[in-house]
Each structure stands twice: as C-alpha cells, then as structure tokens.
Amino acid sequence: MERDQIRERFASAASMPKDVVLGASVITLLGRNEVCIENYRGIIEYTDTLIRVQTKHGQVRLCGKRLQIEYYTNDEMKITGRVISVEFGEGRENS
C-alpha cells in the first residue's frame, strides 16, 4: 500500500482534515474575483494574466485579467482579479 493511501486512510479513520495529514493544498474560489491558496510551495510565474503556483502534488495555473497577488505568507496567498480558468497539472514542469 502506498504511503499516501495509508495517510489518507488514517485521516479518514481519525476524522482529521486531509490537508493537515497529507499536506494537500486548499484552494478556495470566492466568485470569479478572488482565490485563496493554502499549503503551497512557491510561485513559479506571475503576470497580470497568468499565475502559476507549485503545490506538493503539482501545479495550479490561474488564467485571467488584472490578476494580482494581494498578499502571501509561508503557507497561504490571496489572488484577486478576474479569474477565467483554474487548471491543475502534475509535476514541476507543466506550463
């Protein structure tokens, strides 16, 4: 059994949030104008039309207009602007 599967079963059995046990990212969309990302690893690309963020399990790609990172800390960030799409990719080199 894979390590992540064991952790996932443990999280379910212990009624613990998966983001805490697995280190999974939490992505919250508030309408089309605000995105909060928790548990990210780094910012890969940042323009006013594209923001790419590395997470433990891959990349998150936000496309839109007038995108702006309002703030970021070691474990969370808030992005504002007109969000057109959110895409998920695996690995570190997805564009």
Side-chain angles (χ1 to χ4, degrees):
M1 190 177 303
E2 199 175 303
R3 178 177 269 176
D4 283 343
Q5 288 176 330
I6 293 169
R7 288 181 180 165
E8 192 166 336
R9 285 186 178 182
F10 173 75
S12 294
S15 298
M16 293 179 67
K18 290 182 182 179
D19 61 308
V20 173
V21 176
L22 301 175
S25 294
V26 177
I27 301 167
T28 307
L29 287 134
L30 301 168
R32 295 186 68 95
N33 298 317
E34 190 173 305
V35 179
C36 293
I37 302 176
E38 299 174 62
N39 299 333
Y40 72 97
R41 290 202 168 164
I43 300 165
I44 299 169
E45 187 173 352
Y46 176 26
T47 70
D48 67 338
T49 58
L50 172 66
I51 297 177
R52 289 192 305 143
V53 177
Q54 183 67 46
T55 70
K56 181 178 179 181
H57 299 289
Q59 290 184 13
V60 177
R61 179 183 169 121
L62 297 158
C63 297
K65 297 178 182 176
R66 297 180 310 278
L67 296 178
Q68 179 177 345
I69 297 175
E70 286 288 318
Y71 71 86
Y72 64 96
T73 65
N74 287 338
D75 29 75
E76 92 173 301
M77 74 170 62
K78 178 180 176 181
I79 299 165
T80 59
R82 180 73 171 158
V83 178
I84 294 171
S85 68
V86 179
E87 300 173 16
F88 300 92
E90 296 198 18
R92 295 180 181 261
E93 297 301 323
N94 288 344
S95 298

